Amino acid sequence: MQTIAIVGASLAGISAARALRIQGFEGRLVIIGDEAQRPYDRPPLSKDFLAGRISADDLALEDSAEDLQAEWRLGAAAVSLDVARRSIRLSDDSRIGFDGVVIATGASARMLPEVAGRTNVHRLRTLEDARALREQLVPGARLVVIGAGFIGAEVASTARGLGLDVTVVEMGEVPLRGPLGAEMGDAVGRLHSANGVELICGARIAGFDISNNQVTAVRLDDGRYLPADVVVVGIGAEPNIAWLRDGGLELGNGVLCDSTGRTSVPGIVAVGDCAAWQDPRTGDHQRIEHWTGAIERPALAAAALLAGESGADYGPAALNLPYFWSDQYGTRLQFVGHAASADRVVIETGDPADHNFLAVYYDAEAPVAVLGLNQTRLFTKWRRALNQGTGLPLQPAGAS
């Protein structure tokens, strides 16, 4: 390969660039990004940056001395992929030829169409989003957060710390049921009420009151009326794959890949939030929208790209279990594994009522996931054990 194009100047994109150079690629490296900014860290956007504790400069992912010897094409999004001609067309109508491609275009936060464009309605995905929201988070303002996922919960936590009156509206009966399961989702959701935030679950939005291009209230179908000065929509994200619709790649909920990141088209791999990798343990394709995956997986994908189709697939041990963390109301939440495959959850230490505990998810007698709240040290031991498939740090509760 003489030229490799990385589409997406994100954490996953720059991680792929570093991996390619480390693994010996000396050819032309082109990094394409739709934002004008150089790569920056996104997790602090909902926390320290939103609270004003750090600046945009603190988010930079590049070291001042780092030189990837890459060509940067920023501020121009990729709009189509031509596999036959081995070229990518950008929004400025220029074209980038390639021998290999790393797709790292990430995902975009969803918006409710009926309030899109209102000046006090926000979603949070980019630095520009965070700047716009930060200007409106003033003490005493009434914030309504729609969606109690991780972004919604972190924004609610930050806003409460800034002195806002916060209400969180969640359609599900408990928050975070998907990643954590109903029992632990409910336990984590209690952090809201413990910190003076109203959490309304099982709610449906009946409509919005709008005046002067702003939402002034959110109306629920049970008759509740929530006055609002600011609204944040946190209802998940969609993979940025529309530009690939005619590119010949196999798509689903993301770009479908094997367990090394290789797509259905030779010479093209995908990483980060847009990529649905095959889990070698289950055979299912999963799109993992977490920071750790954007750090770890690009090295595997770079190796697969450089090796070509002759490269061997990796076994389960090479691909770590999904891991994520979240900081809410001064509490560090950490999770590893797959909650959906568990048939029970055991509190190994601590008490959920104190928001300080470690819970292990079991499938029969096998631990398949672990959740920790303010249990960083013990959680780290469990995470290592689950990934290695070796001895466990604790016996299952009740075991001899």
Side-chain angles (χ1 to χ4, degrees), residues 14-369:
I14 195 170
S15 296
R18 288 169 175 154
L20 286 166
R21 291 305 192 203
I22 289 171
Q23 294 177 29
F25 178 68
E26 298 179 349
R28 181 187 179 210
L29 192 60
V30 184
I31 303 177
I32 301 164
D34 59 344
E35 294 183 70
Q37 289 88 3
R38 302 280 283 212
Y40 59 89
D41 205 17
R42 296 183 191 272
L45 293 179
S46 59
K47 301 181 278 289
D48 288 343
F49 182 82
L50 199 59
R53 290 189 288 267
I54 62 175
S55 70
D57 291 341
D58 297 316
L59 301 173
L61 289 172
E62 297 170 276
D63 185 277
S64 59
E66 185 173 28
D67 182 9
L68 292 170
Q69 297 182 349
E71 298 176 30
W72 293 84
R73 299 293 300 271
L74 301 178
V79 295
S80 65
L81 173 71
D82 189 330
V83 172
R85 296 183 179 180
R86 310 298 280 182
S87 71
I88 299 164
R89 185 167 65 88
L90 306 186
S91 56
D92 62 6
D93 213 31
S94 63
R95 289 183 178 271
I96 303 294
F98 65 81
D99 300 304
V101 177
V102 179
I103 299 171
T105 43
S108 295
R110 296 188 180 99
M111 174 54 72
L112 296 171
E114 56 267 46
V115 294
R118 305 300 178 182
T119 56
N120 67 334
V121 177
H122 304 269
R123 53 187 170 183
L124 185 56
R125 186 76 185 186
T126 68
L127 181 57
E128 182 180 355
D129 294 339
R131 282 174 169 150
L133 175 58
R134 188 166 68 173
E135 291 181 359
Q136 297 185 2
L137 294 185
V138 296
R142 296 165 298 185
L143 169 66
V144 176
V145 179
I146 300 173
F150 292 111
I151 292 296
E154 289 173 0
V155 169
S157 170
T158 300
R160 185 59 183 158
L162 293 172
L164 280 77
D165 179 6
V166 183
T167 301
V168 178
V169 178
E170 166 61 34
M171 290 183 61
E173 294 302 321
V174 297
L176 300 171
R177 180 169 186 162
L180 302 183
E183 182 181 355
M184 291 297 100
D186 179 64
V188 172
R190 294 174 202 158
L191 283 168
H192 292 293
S193 59
N195 287 275
V197 170
E198 182 180 11
L199 173 64
I200 302 173
C201 291
R204 297 293 185 274
I205 295 175
F208 300 89
D209 287 358
I210 298 173
S211 176
N212 296 322
N213 202 33
Q214 291 195 337
V215 172
T216 59
V218 179
R219 290 180 280 108
L220 304 183
D221 62 358
D222 63 3
R224 275 184 279 193
Y225 182 86
L226 308 176
D229 299 305
V230 188
V231 176
V232 170
V233 179
I235 55 174
E238 296 179 345
N240 293 326
I241 58 174
W243 69 285
L244 297 168
R245 293 296 180 193
D246 298 321
L249 277 73
E250 189 176 357
L251 305 176
N253 180 25
V255 182
L256 300 186
C257 306
D258 67 9
S259 61
T260 68
R262 288 180 296 199
T263 71
S264 57
V265 174
I268 300 179
V269 298
V271 295
D273 293 357
C274 70
W277 282 36
Q278 187 175 45
D279 187 330
R281 298 170 177 85
T282 65
D284 297 329
H285 285 90
Q286 298 176 341
R287 192 167 62 84
I288 306 298
E289 293 185 70
H290 303 306
W291 188 92
T292 307
I295 285 286
E296 295 176 344
R297 294 189 173 190
L300 300 178
L305 181 61
L306 296 177
E309 294 306 295
S310 62
D313 290 338
Y314 300 120
L319 194 61
N320 286 333
L321 288 165
Y323 163 73
F324 59 82
W325 80 91
S326 178
D327 293 319
Q328 303 173 23
Y329 306 106
T331 297
R332 169 54 65 98
L333 180 156
Q334 295 171 285
F335 182 87
V336 63
H338 299 287
S341 59
D343 55 33
R344 62 193 175 98
V345 182
V346 176
I347 304 299
E348 295 285 2
T349 189
D351 187 342
D354 298 330
H355 313 301
N356 188 324
F357 68 95
L358 186 129
V360 179
Y361 296 65
Y362 288 96
D363 178 8
E365 295 304 313
V368 293

